[in-house]
Amino acid sequence: MPAARPIALVTGVGRTVGIGAGIARRLAASGWDIAFTYWTPYDDRMAWGRETGATEVIGRALAEHGASSTAIEADLADPDAPARVFDEAEQRLGTVTALVMCHCESVDSGLLDTTVESFDRHFAVNARATWLLIREFGRRFAAAPGTGRVIGLTSDHTVGNLPYGASKGALDRITLAAARELARLGVTANVINPGPVDTGWMSEETREHCVRNTPLGRLGTPQDTAHLVDFLCSREGDWINGQLLMSNGGFA
């Protein structure tokens, strides 16, 4: 990385145990300053609930690695939110060099019981916001050619989780399009499927199923995903482009 710390924008960093937080910590340790988004009303709707003080704890963890950071509250279902997030990140830290998208809407429902409202919100957060974030990144990117990174986190789980999996599939296509369309800027774009990572949502039955179907005999961790993101964001990762990468221990 250059002498001045580059800036990464990591979305979906609302909980200390989440994949987004693990990625933010890993990048901070590798010399990045971090802008990160969170949206506590989403956590309020989920079984795990709001983690009070999480953004402050995450900010202190990043500072331990010498990183400047800023937390930006944003409902990415709002089409105006991505531009505002970039405005705030630039005002507080500077030009964003890497965009890592860990945000999501994920509510279990299948073909027969998904509501139109839920379906639309999943696509607004997981697909439309991804497009708008990448669009803002491409419009504003001003770093040296070859240093830009776009990374999206995806999932292929659709059975009983239809709107989540379908909208994540759209995220894949949008992110991979950036590998071609932003190539003239010297920006790479890749998608990571981390497989099942227990960040507080798994039942004991789900946990046992995932371990049983993973050849390495354990669950994935946020750190597993973070190491791959860290590599893709490094100079050594600049030849990896336009790929959907499985980082799941061989889970099937």
Side-chain angles (χ1 to χ4, degrees), residues 52-198:
T52 302
T55 57
E56 291 80 5
V57 172
I58 293 167
R60 289 195 294 271
L62 302 181
E64 290 175 359
H65 294 294
S68 296
S69 69
T70 187
I72 304 168
E73 187 168 20
D75 179 6
L76 291 173
D78 177 358
D80 294 327
R84 180 180 62 79
V85 166
F86 270 88
D87 285 343
E88 294 190 29
E90 289 175 352
Q91 290 165 8
R92 299 177 192 179
L93 295 178
T95 301
V96 173
T97 306
L99 170 62
V100 184
M101 296 171 289
C102 307
H103 65 275
C104 78
E105 171 79 5
S106 178
V107 178
D108 290 346
S109 59
L111 282 164
L112 302 183
D113 59 341
T114 295
T115 66
V116 170
E117 178 187 18
S118 178
F119 188 90
D120 288 348
R121 182 170 181 83
H122 277 82
F123 271 83
V125 175
N126 297 341
R128 185 179 68 194
T130 295
W131 160 52
L132 292 172
L133 285 162
I134 294 174
R135 186 176 73 172
E136 287 299 321
F137 179 82
R139 286 175 170 176
R140 300 170 187 239
F141 183 75
T147 61
R149 302 287 187 269
V150 174
I151 299 170
L153 266 61
T154 193
S155 172
D156 54 10
H157 189 255
T158 54
V159 178
N161 211 1
L162 173 75
Y164 174 69
S167 56
K168 282 289 190 173
L171 174 150
D172 297 354
R173 302 302 100 187
I174 294 165
T175 305
L176 295 178
R180 294 276 186 172
E181 295 195 23
L182 301 186
R184 60 184 176 78
L185 301 175
V187 171
T188 65
N190 295 285
V191 179
I192 296 172
N193 185 335
V197 177
D198 187 8

Side-chain angles (χ1 to χ4, degrees), residues 206-227:
T206 299
R207 193 175 293 110
E208 291 176 359
H209 168 80
C210 293
V211 170
R212 187 168 60 250
N213 286 279
T214 302
L216 294 180
R218 67 169 177 86
L219 293 173
T221 68
Q223 291 71 35
D224 292 324
T225 308
H227 288 309

